[in-house]
Amino acid sequence: MTDADERLRKRVENQARRMRQAQRDQPTLLAQTAYVGTLGLLFAVPVVLGAYVGLWLDRHVEGYSVHWTLLMIALGVAIGSFNVYWFVKE
């Protein structure tokens, strides 16, 4: 066997080992469901909290009907988007 053949054999063995490891490390359906559920909560909680805080502000500040609610929902969407981005990036 030549040196080039030996290097090729080692590369193929290394790639095959990595492929087997990737198959073993593949996440289960439960793990994937938990991940997607976490993403949903990271986005939905700030939006819902923003809606409740905005509604509370609209009820306690005279002259506004839904301005605070819309503003806080938009802020919740922005915060939720940042949360999801940060979680996926990590």
Side-chain angles (χ1 to χ4, degrees), residues 49-59 68-70 72:
L49 288 177
Y52 279 121
V53 169
L55 186 62
W56 182 83
L57 284 171
D58 281 334
R59 288 182 179 165
W68 282 110
T69 303
L70 294 176
M72 291 299 178

Side-chain angles (χ1 to χ4, degrees), residues 7-36:
R7 282 185 286 158
L8 177 61
R9 186 182 63 76
K10 285 183 181 181
R11 284 182 59 197
V12 169
E13 285 176 356
N14 188 27
Q15 288 177 351
R17 186 174 53 251
R18 287 176 43 205
M19 288 174 64
R20 285 190 301 272
Q21 183 67 33
Q23 284 179 338
R24 282 192 300 267
D25 293 343
Q26 188 174 10
T28 64
L29 180 62
L30 181 61
Q32 291 175 346
T33 303
Y35 184 78
V36 171

Side-chain angles (χ1 to χ4, degrees), residues 34-36 38-39 42 81-90:
Y35 184 78
V36 171
T38 301
L39 290 179
L42 284 173
S81 299
F82 177 75
N83 284 344
V84 169
Y85 170 77
W86 180 73
F87 188 75
V88 170
K89 183 180 171 189
E90 204 174 88

